[in-house]
Amino acid sequence: MRLAAGTDTGTGYLVPGFALHDELALLASAGLTPAEVLHAATQDAARTLGLSDVGTVARGQAADLLVLDADPLRDIRNTRSIHGVVVDGRWIPPEERRHLLAVVEKSAAQTPPPEEGAAMKGCGCGGHP
């Protein structure tokens, strides 16, 4: 059985990446082991989307990685202890990462909250009823 984790739905209050940390913790609290949670967020998610060159650390795979300060196999919340990031094989220095996060935070702060009682129509994906 395959379980794919992922919360990048494009809604205003699920910020890609950040919301995934919450989802990982919820999966662990639902009874999955940290290893199962990580598998759901990496290899299983990639395979579900039909992507064969991402989701594992191996020669020939896309080089997007998080370098953590703490072991997520001991506590899945340690995925938030990010030491560094590699995107497309390029190390993102801490200063650049802080700047990028500040831009995301500013953008998120400018997103107005939904109106009380507002209901989403359709799937919420922007093009389907």
Side-chain angles (χ1 to χ4, degrees), residues 7 95 104 125:
T7 56
E95 310 78 45
V104 170
C125 57

Side-chain angles (χ1 to χ4, degrees), residues 33-125:
T33 67
E36 291 169 329
V37 172
L38 292 173
H39 206 268
T42 56
Q43 186 173 356
D44 283 352
R47 298 308 171 265
T48 298
L49 295 172
L51 304 172
S52 61
D53 64 342
V54 298
T56 60
V57 178
R59 183 180 300 274
Q61 299 292 83
D64 292 348
L65 302 168
L66 289 180
V67 179
L68 303 176
D69 284 324
D71 185 357
L73 294 175
R74 289 183 163 266
D75 184 339
I76 199 63
R77 294 173 296 183
N78 287 338
T79 61
R80 295 178 184 268
S81 300
I82 299 170
H83 177 78
V85 179
V86 177
V87 176
D88 198 22
R90 183 177 82 80
W91 174 254
I92 306 297
E95 310 78 45
E96 182 179 350
R97 185 170 160 263
R98 280 191 291 275
H99 171 74
L100 293 169
L101 290 172
V103 170
V104 170
E105 184 176 12
K106 181 179 178 182
S107 177
Q110 293 174 350
T111 303
E115 295 178 20
E116 189 171 325
M120 180 177 72
K121 292 188 173 142
C123 67
C125 57

Side-chain angles (χ1 to χ4, degrees), residues 1-13:
M1 181 173 90
R2 181 184 300 164
L3 174 67
T7 56
D8 303 349
T9 63
T11 64
Y13 292 96

